[in-house]
Amino acid sequence: MFRQTTLASLIALSALSSPLLAQAAGKGSNADAAKATATSPAVQAVETVRVADALARYGDAKKDPLALIEAAKMKKEAGEQPLTLTRKDKGEAGKKDSKLADYSPDALLARAKTLAAGRADLIALADDVAKSGARGAVGGPKSSRTVVKGGYTDQFTVKFEGGEPAAVAISGDGDSTLDLYVYDENGNRVCAAVGRGDDAICRWNPRWTGPFVIRVVNRGIANEYVIRTN
C-alpha cells in the first residue's frame, strides 16, 4: 500500500515538474540548447528533495507515518545545506506569519513517530532512518526560505558552472501563484516555469561559468517559499 502511495505522490509531482521551458537561442546565450535535458547527480538531488517535500505534504494531509518516514529518508540521502541569497539592490524580504511546515528530516521523523501511535515497527523504521547519514552529491542541494511580497518580484544572482547541468526550484505556501524565470548575464531568458500554483523548477545547461539572474514573480498576496539550487 505504501508503494502505491509513494507512486501516486511521485506521479502528482511529475505533473508539477513539467514547466513551460523557453530555451534561449539568441547570440551570446549562456545556455546549450543541445544539452537542455542533461542532468547530473547534483540536479537529481534537487529533484529528489522536491519530490520528498511533496511526499511530506501528502503524509501530513493523510496522516500517513510511512510517507513521512520515506520523505525523511529521501531528504537525508540527498543532503541539504543553507543557501545565502542577496536580493537585487539589497532589498528586504517580505514579512508573513509562516505557514510552511518543518520538512527537515528530524521534524518529519518526529511527526511520523507521533502518528505511529505506539506501533513498534514504524517507530523502529523511523529510528533507523534517523541514524542513517546524508549521502548527498556534492554536499546536496542548497536551500533558503524567504517571503516574496504580494505583486512583487524577487530577484537574485547566482553563479553556475559551465558545462554542468543547472537547476533552480521553488515551492511556496499555497497562497498565490509564483512564476520562475532564469536569465543569463546577457539578458537572454534561458528558462521560464509559469502557470498555476507556486511549485516550479527550471533546468538548463550553461555553456560557460557565469552569473544567472533568478526572478520569482508573485501574482498574488505575500507568499513564503523555499528556493533550491544545485
Side-chain angles (χ1 to χ4, degrees), residues 48-198:
T48 294
V49 172
R50 188 164 171 260
V51 171
D53 279 353
L55 187 55
R57 287 193 291 269
Y58 177 92
D60 282 335
K62 299 298 183 180
K63 301 190 181 304
D64 184 338
L66 275 172
L68 296 180
I69 292 170
E70 180 66 16
K73 180 181 178 182
M74 293 169 67
K75 297 199 80 168
K76 290 204 73 167
E77 289 179 345
E80 199 161 19
Q81 54 187 325
L83 173 65
T84 301
L85 291 172
T86 301
R87 282 175 167 75
K88 179 183 179 183
D89 300 326
K90 298 183 179 179
E92 296 183 355
K95 296 181 180 179
K96 184 179 185 180
D97 292 336
S98 180
K99 290 177 58 178
L100 290 178
D102 187 346
Y103 288 156
S104 66
D106 288 346
L108 290 172
L109 293 172
R111 294 205 296 276
K113 291 171 76 170
T114 298
L115 291 173
R119 280 187 54 181
D121 58 334
L122 294 179
I123 293 173
L125 183 59
D127 287 340
D128 285 344
V129 173
K131 294 174 184 176
S132 64
R135 300 196 299 271
V138 197
K142 303 175 183 68
S143 68
S144 179
R145 182 181 293 203
T146 188
V147 175
V148 57
K149 303 171 188 177
Y152 192 79
T153 297
D154 274 352
Q155 181 168 308
F156 312 100
T157 300
V158 178
K159 185 176 78 171
F160 288 90
E161 298 297 320
E164 295 290 333
V168 175
I170 57 172
S171 183
D173 63 15
D175 276 352
S176 65
T177 294
L178 299 181
D179 292 336
L180 175 64
Y181 300 88
V182 179
Y183 298 82
D184 68 13
E185 61 198 280
N186 296 319
N188 295 299
R189 191 175 77 183
V190 302
C191 180
V194 301
R196 296 180 181 179
D198 54 2

